[in-house]
Amino acid sequence: MKTFLTHVRDIAISGFFALLPLYVVFIVIAKAWKSLSSVGAGIAGMFGLKPIPGVGGTTIFSGLLVMTLWIVTGLLVRFSFLAALSRAAERMMSKYIPGYDTYKAIAEEKLQHKVRALDYTSALIRLQQYWRPAYIVEKDEHGTFVLFLPDVPETNKGQVLLAQQDDVRVLSSITANQFDASLKKMGKGLCSEYKISP
């Protein structure tokens, strides 16, 4: 029974830490909405805006204030001082909030259709009689490779290992971004489209 409770506790703790970035974002949005809704209520009262069925004047003006705040901040970030301040805040978030970089990358891909350029070289590494996809991070003058072995389909996570040149096969026919896209689809297209064979 004690083992079962310990197991449940460990699962609950890992779930909490997995959701922690979402909690932080939700709390920040809720606080911002609460503070802006009081201003929105004042503006709605000044204009005498009557509630539209299901939506109050406070909600409308609060939403407009949030969008205005986004636009103003987006314009201000173009100045170098505020851009540096924003980058410093982002570094702090990356350091203290687990998974922040992952969620940011997902948001950028979805909202801005931004594809992050991977400046690695695609490769395969021999593990016993199999070949595993990898990215070459660096290589020294002795022929030792530093490789990143991505998890599939979550390719931004994985393992780092060192390997000798004999166990590494460089794939010059496929870019790292094409390789990444294929791995996110569980390797679909590696053989048929890019003609990669062991």
Side-chain angles (χ1 to χ4, degrees):
M1 182 68 176
K2 189 176 179 182
T3 309
F4 174 74
L5 292 175
T6 305
H7 188 61
V8 169
R9 184 201 65 196
D10 292 343
I11 291 172
I13 289 171
S14 64
F16 169 77
F17 281 114
L19 291 174
L20 186 61
L22 295 175
Y23 293 147
V24 171
V25 169
F26 179 75
I27 289 167
V28 168
I29 290 172
K31 286 194 178 289
W33 184 264
K34 186 177 178 182
S35 62
L36 288 175
S37 65
S38 61
V39 176
I43 295 172
M46 281 181 6
F47 287 106
L49 188 66
K50 302 288 184 215
I52 300 170
V55 182
T58 303
T59 306
I60 292 170
F61 276 103
S62 298
L64 289 173
L65 282 171
V66 167
M67 286 191 286
T68 304
L69 186 65
W70 289 344
I71 291 168
V72 169
T73 305
L75 291 171
L76 289 175
V77 167
R78 293 172 189 235
F79 296 105
S80 60
F81 168 72
L82 290 169
L85 191 66
S86 174
R87 284 192 297 272
E90 203 164 272
R91 280 193 300 272
M92 190 179 74
M93 294 279 279
S94 295
K95 184 177 178 182
Y96 293 111
I97 298 177
Y100 173 79
D101 290 328
T102 304
Y103 293 118
K104 183 184 177 232
I106 291 169
E108 284 178 342
E109 283 178 21
K110 300 289 183 194
L111 297 175
Q112 297 177 330
H113 305 292
K114 196 185 260 189
V115 178
R116 66 188 168 107
L118 300 173
D119 58 347
Y120 304 123
T121 303
S122 305
L124 295 174
I125 180 169
R126 186 197 327 261
L127 298 173
Q128 296 171 348
Q129 68 264 33
Y130 304 106
W131 291 88
R132 181 162 178 201
Y135 296 113
I136 299 173
V137 177
E138 64 181 28
K139 178 186 175 188
D140 70 6
E141 65 276 3
H142 305 296
T144 303
F145 286 90
V146 177
L147 300 172
F148 175 71
L149 279 62
D151 288 344
V152 176
E154 205 170 341
T155 56
N156 60 335
K157 296 180 181 174
Q159 305 168 355
V160 173
L161 66 100
L162 300 172
Q164 290 302 313
Q165 194 163 2
D166 297 342
D167 294 323
V168 178
R169 185 170 148 217
V170 178
L171 301 175
S172 54
S173 62
I174 182 170
T175 66
N177 279 67
Q178 292 169 327
F179 202 44
D180 186 66
S182 183
L183 293 177
K184 283 181 178 171
K185 294 185 287 187
M186 309 299 279
K188 186 173 183 182
L190 287 178
C191 292
S192 59
E193 191 174 340
Y194 300 109
K195 311 296 183 208
I196 295 171
S197 59

